[in-house]
Amino acid sequence: ETGVTQTPRHLVMGMTNKKSLKCEQHLGHNAMYWYKQSAKKPLELMFVYNFKEQTENNSVPSRFSPECPNSSHLFLHLHTLQPEDSALYLCASSQGLAGGPAYEQYFGPGTRLTVT
Amino acid sequence: DQQVKQNSPSLSVQEGRISILNCDYTNSMFDYFLWYKKYPAEGPTFLISISSIKDKNEDGRFTVFLNKSAKHLSLHIVPSQPGDSAVYFCAASTGNQFYFGTGTSLTVIP
């Protein structure tokens, strides 16, 4: 148990559906992240939030829409996805964004997304 | 363009021996490096880290070495245990950006 939970663990959705991924951290951290892991590719950072404010958006298509209502919750809203968006989506949190130990990220178990 | 590379997809080591996992990077601006371990169906778990101003950091059986001139990072596990069998990812950061390698699957043979 890492203190970061993600729901759902598995999701199958059609290209016209709208769904949301949820992440919650119970560690008192201030920064939260969304990552995408495709088969045989490295983890790709998608979004970074620090104190609820988005600090990074790594050229992610607009069909992915993040939301961070508070420092403990992070959502990823999905709409009109493509089959190539099928991947493992991981949420992480860290104490802060400053250098040193604040960089240590704690990951949730991920949501396995399949777009049909 | 992959800025962090783990060129060995897998490694097998006998229990009790040393495991050495390697990682290369291209961006000289990286200022912090981390190693993560991942078991199936779980998210990555933080293992050990090192700042770019250091060349070695040790935590129990785990030691990370940083060679900035070679842009090379390595993780040593001594002695290796069967429970260490997992996928190991190295990561590097600069600013608010984090870059991960593709991982090395370590198998420790009892």
Side-chain angles (χ1 to χ4, degrees):
Chain A
E1 176 60 48
T2 64
V4 180
T5 57
Q6 288 186 246
T7 54
R9 293 294 305 275
H10 299 272
L11 178 62
V12 179
M13 60 185 288
M15 289 189 284
T16 58
N17 291 158
K18 288 185 180 181
K19 296 285 184 183
S20 296
L21 309 185
K22 179 183 176 183
C23 175
E24 184 173 359
Q25 59 97 358
H26 312 274
L27 301 168
H29 288 167
N30 297 311
M32 296 188 78
Y33 313 78
W34 278 117
Y35 284 88
K36 174 185 178 182
Q37 185 174 30
S38 304
K40 301 198 186 300
K41 287 189 173 182
L43 278 163
E44 299 172 59
L45 181 62
M46 300 173 72
F47 301 104
V48 180
Y49 277 83
N50 190 35
F51 289 99
K52 303 187 302 178
E53 299 298 321
Q54 187 179 120
T55 61
E56 300 291 335
N57 174 345
N58 287 345
S59 303
V60 180
S62 59
R63 56 186 185 269
F64 295 91
S65 174
E67 178 190 0
C68 188
N70 53 62
S71 293
S72 299
H73 294 87
L74 186 64
F75 295 89
L76 188 62
H77 303 300
L78 316 170
H79 64 96
T80 59
L81 294 192
Q82 305 298 312
E84 59 264 30
D85 296 323
S86 298
L88 180 68
Y89 289 85
L90 288 158
C91 171
S93 70
S94 65
Q95 186 177 349
L97 292 180
Y103 269 152
E104 295 160 12
Q105 296 175 20
Y106 293 76
F107 284 83
T111 295
R112 175 69 62 186
L113 173 67
T114 303
V115 181
T116 61
Chain B
D1 179 31
Q2 226 171 302
Q3 299 196 38
V4 177
K5 295 181 183 179
Q6 294 176 259
N7 293 317
S8 298
S10 62
L11 174 69
S12 289
V13 171
Q14 207 71 31
E15 180 179 4
R17 307 293 279 268
I18 184 171
S19 295
I20 300 176
L21 297 106
N22 294 304
C23 180
D24 297 298
Y25 62 95
T26 57
N27 189 343
S28 58
M29 297 300 292
F30 287 143
D31 55 9
Y32 207 67
F33 302 88
L34 310 95
W35 282 95
Y36 287 84
K37 179 169 74 172
K38 185 180 185 302
Y39 294 117
E42 295 181 12
T45 303
F46 170 75
L47 198 55
I48 192 169
S49 61
I50 188 168
S51 164
S52 61
I53 62 173
K54 296 186 175 181
D55 54 21
K56 177 182 174 182
N57 188 26
E58 191 172 348
D59 184 2
R61 297 186 296 114
F62 302 92
T63 303
V64 56
F65 294 92
L66 176 62
N67 182 334
K68 287 188 289 294
S69 61
K71 294 191 176 70
H72 181 79
L73 190 68
S74 64
L75 174 68
H76 293 210
I77 306 174
V78 180
S80 300
Q81 300 174 354
D84 295 329
S85 297
V87 177
Y88 289 78
F89 294 95
C90 68
S93 66
T94 178
N96 295 339
Q97 291 294 334
F98 295 84
Y99 299 87
F100 281 75
T102 50
T104 297
S105 178
L106 173 67
T107 302
V108 180
I109 304 163

